[in-house]
Amino acid sequence: NYITSFFLIALVQLSSEVRMVAVKTAGLKIPILPPNSPGAEQPKGIKLPLHPHQLRALHRCLVLESNGSLSGDFQHRYDYKSRGGVLADTVGMGKTATAIGMVLSGQKGNGGDTLVVAPGHLIPQWKEEIHKFSDDIEVIIGKEEYEIKSSFGNTAKSAGKKHRMVLVSVDDILKEEKLWYDFRRVFKCKKGGEKKVSRQLMEDYKKSALFCVQSPKGPCSYEGWVYTGSLHIPPRTRRPWRRVIFDEIQDLVAEGTESQKNLLQLSRTAQNVWLLSATPFPHGNQSVYANHELLGFCRLRMDVEVDYPLHHNHTFEVIKRKLYIRSPKDIADQAVTAAKIVQMTTEPVHPSSLEQKFYKLEMDENEDREDIFGESYDSLRQMMVHPEASEKLREQIHGPSKEKEGHSSTARGQQVGRYSTVQSFAKSSLNQAKKRLKTLQKHLPAAQKQLDNTRVSEMLARKVRQIRSAPIQSNPFGNND
């Protein structure tokens, strides 16, 4: 009883905490882009047309990048300007394709390459998507290839491409060279080791440092790391980034982390910045602060982890309506489903005589299966259900093979399902059984310990129950007379 009550109380407390956490996200809800929003035209040079919801998202992206009508006036006392926005569609709705359409729709005169920073496992996916949607984009993967091709000038034009995208893993970005900056002095580490650099380089380091703290609130000194690699501080002979796209790096973008300043300095020379994430606020207020720093709202702090909807004119609500782009899931699903062409083809399948015999055997409850399969029938039935596993069944259909009369190893040469021979099938089954046995042996001590603890708990519960049911003595130290 005591144990049951304890677990019930703990469960109630846990459920209340989970409910509080869920309620705290009320202010973080992202509004939906209205289905009647204007859509962009299909980008020039795109091979596969974008869906209507992607064209609506693309139109919003192009407005944010071009005329600036949605990049300011956020109901705040400071005049913040946004450099981009957040594509916050759920997984599978084509955020990558929308970003590629944004590159293809770039205005003339806005030179520079597009840098994509993503986890390493997404880089091949980006490359594949770019080649699938366009032949007008040159793809460069990694910092080394970018530096080599940049030394030869604009290789995109020489290759007949109109645009160029550089794909870099976020792990490589975080490994970039860095120096500790402290009031126009740089050091190899925090504790010392001053490094002398040219006045031109020091000016670049100063710009990177001050970029981390500049805002309409006024100037602020910066003491911390400055990242000195060619991706963060491109040579003066190289064009600055046209835009930087951060894809699914929301776990690294948190206030106060070293990675946050790294990514912020990486975007310093970019004209526009975009975040691609279905969950842009994994750390609540910290993620809001860090996301907005990348977009241009440096030192804009807001407490939006609340259990009630924010006012319509709240600064964060205005920012979300203008900069956060999320399409209705049902509309996107309908568009994707309608675009799919499904053809149904029926192919007749005729079972062989061996398979017919096996199926007949399976359907006949009175048939003696052990006469054909022996004791191995149940295990064979669970593993493969294939008639080739029974040599006797083959002999009933085809008769004894000639090779068997002269050689006893014929059975081992027969194909079993996806296995080339019965012998390979048996070997594979044996290896799987050994692995399963090792797994069970590995977890056996823990299970035994858990069983012992359960027994001790049961004995304790019985003892408590026994004591509670015993009569209470008026004076336990007196005589019982």
Side-chain angles (χ1 to χ4, degrees), residues 85-333:
V86 181
L87 280 173
D89 282 338
T90 56
V91 177
M93 291 182 62
K95 295 188 292 293
T96 303
T98 303
I100 294 172
M102 187 163 44
V103 174
L104 294 173
S105 303
Q107 301 292 326
K108 292 183 178 180
N110 293 335
D113 304 328
T114 294
L115 173 65
V116 177
V117 180
H121 67 278
L122 293 182
I123 297 299
Q125 179 180 330
W126 268 93
K127 179 182 178 181
E128 181 181 350
E129 290 290 299
I130 294 172
H131 290 323
K132 182 172 71 174
F133 279 94
S134 177
D135 294 330
D136 291 338
I137 301 177
E138 180 188 13
V139 180
I140 297 178
I141 299 180
K143 175 183 175 181
E144 293 183 2
E145 182 180 353
Y146 171 67
E147 291 180 339
I148 293 174
K149 291 194 173 183
S150 295
S151 62
F152 294 101
N154 192 349
T155 56
K157 286 187 177 180
S158 60
K161 308 287 186 179
K162 297 180 180 179
H163 310 276
R164 186 162 70 175
M165 296 181 68
V166 182
L167 313 180
V168 182
S169 168
V170 68
D171 293 332
D172 295 335
I173 296 295
L174 298 180
K175 296 176 184 176
E176 281 280 70
E177 298 176 356
K178 58 186 179 181
L179 294 171
W180 185 261
Y181 179 89
D182 184 7
F183 194 66
R184 299 189 182 185
R185 299 170 63 194
V186 290
F187 304 86
K188 297 180 180 179
C189 60
K190 292 183 181 180
K191 297 182 179 180
E194 184 175 358
K195 183 177 181 179
K196 298 297 182 180
V197 297
S198 65
R199 179 178 299 180
Q200 183 177 347
L201 266 181
M202 182 59 70
E203 190 65 24
D204 290 334
Y205 296 161
K206 176 185 175 183
K207 290 179 180 179
S208 294
L210 295 181
F211 184 77
C212 295
V213 292
Q214 66 177 353
S215 78
K217 294 182 179 181
C220 181
S221 61
Y222 176 79
E223 180 183 357
W225 295 110
V226 290
Y227 296 86
T228 62
S230 59
L231 297 176
H232 290 79
I233 304 180
R236 297 182 183 273
T237 57
R238 192 178 302 168
R239 296 180 302 174
W241 300 116
R242 168 62 183 84
R243 66 176 61 82
V244 176
I245 299 175
F246 296 105
D247 184 17
E248 297 296 345
I249 59 157
Q250 60 274 12
D251 288 331
L252 296 175
V253 183
E255 180 186 0
T257 61
E258 182 179 328
S259 58
Q260 184 236 354
K261 297 301 181 185
N262 184 324
L263 301 175
L264 182 60
Q265 293 179 35
L266 179 67
S267 68
R268 177 178 65 88
T269 63
Q271 183 176 343
N272 295 108
V273 177
W274 289 94
L275 309 180
L276 274 60
S277 174
T279 55
F281 312 121
H283 306 293
N285 289 332
Q286 291 186 353
S287 295
V288 172
Y289 181 87
N291 288 350
H292 292 167
E293 274 206 320
L294 289 173
L295 297 179
F297 301 86
C298 190
R299 293 159 58 193
L300 173 60
R301 195 175 303 280
M302 296 179 293
D303 183 11
V304 293
E305 289 188 50
V306 294
D307 54 0
Y308 53 86
L310 297 174
H311 190 273
H312 181 78
N313 292 328
H314 190 282
T315 300
F316 187 45
E317 287 297 314
V318 178
I319 290 175
K320 287 190 295 183
R321 287 197 301 271
K322 290 186 175 183
L323 307 184
Y324 286 77
I325 306 170
R326 172 169 288 179
S327 302
K329 184 69 166 63
D330 55 340
I331 293 180
D333 289 342

Side-chain angles (χ1 to χ4, degrees), residues 391 394 401-413:
E391 183 180 355
R394 289 198 305 272
S401 62
K402 295 181 180 180
E403 295 182 1
K404 181 180 178 183
E405 297 176 356
H407 201 281
S408 61
S409 63
T410 304
R412 293 194 298 269

